[in-house]
Amino acid sequence: MIDLQTPIGDDDLDRLDVGDKITISGTIYTGRDAALPQLVELINEKEVPFDLNGSVIMHTAFSDAGIAPTTSSKVEIESTIAPLSESGVKVHIGKGMLNDDTLKALNENNSIFVITPPVAALLTSKVLEKKCVLFENEGMEAMFELKVDRIPGIVAIKDGKRI
C-alpha cells in the first residue's frame, strides 16, 4: 500500500504504476453530475475559490448516508476530467471505464484515475471533516471539501495505460 498526502505532486505520481494500491489522506473535493461542469465554468472564468494544483476530486455526492463513488464515465463527469486535469487536478477518484480520449488527456496532464470500492460505510469512516465549498444549491451534489484519512483506491489509469 502506497500512502499519498495531498497536495499530490508529480514526484508522488512518478512512483505509481497501474494496479498499485494506494491511500490518500488530506484534503479532497467531491463533485459529480451537477457540480463538476459548473466547476469547469469557474475555471474558464478564473473564479475558482481554492487551489486546484495537486488536488484530488472524488466523483461522489455527500449525503447523510455518506459517500461512495459514482460512475465516472457519465458524460457530465467524464467531460470534465480533461479540463480539471489541465487545471492541476492530479487524482480523479471514481468507478467505471473511461474512454480513450480521457486516458490520453490524463496522460498529457500527468494525472491519474483511481478506482475505489463502492462501500459507503468504509469510505465515510475515512472522512474526518466536511464543509460545502461550492454550489450549495445543488444539495448533496454540491462540492464539498473533505479532510480524509487513508481513502483506499487502486490506480486504474496512469501513463496512458489502464487496468
Side-chain angles (χ1 to χ4, degrees), residues 19 53 95 102 104 110 116-118 132 138 140 151 160:
N53 288 313
K95 67 178 186 178
T102 303
K104 181 179 174 188
N110 197 29
T116 192
C132 184
E138 298 293 351
M140 70 181 201
I151 290 279

Side-chain angles (χ1 to χ4, degrees), residues 88-102:
V89 175
K90 287 296 183 186
V91 179
H92 303 266
I93 303 173
K95 67 178 186 178
M97 180 70 84
L98 300 179
N99 69 45
D100 290 341
D101 289 337
T102 303

Side-chain angles (χ1 to χ4, degrees), residues 30 46 67 78 91 100 108 112 120 130 141-142 157 162:
T30 67
K46 300 188 183 337
I67 60 172
E78 188 164 5
V91 179
D100 290 341
E108 288 172 354
I112 64 173
K130 72 170 183 166
E141 285 202 28
I157 296 177
R162 68 175 90 220

Side-chain angles (χ1 to χ4, degrees), residues 18-20 97 103 113 115 154-158 161-163:
V18 169
D20 282 348
M97 180 70 84
L103 182 129
F113 179 61
I115 56 173
I154 299 171
V155 177
I157 296 177
K158 181 178 186 295
K161 297 180 273 185
R162 68 175 90 220
I163 289 180

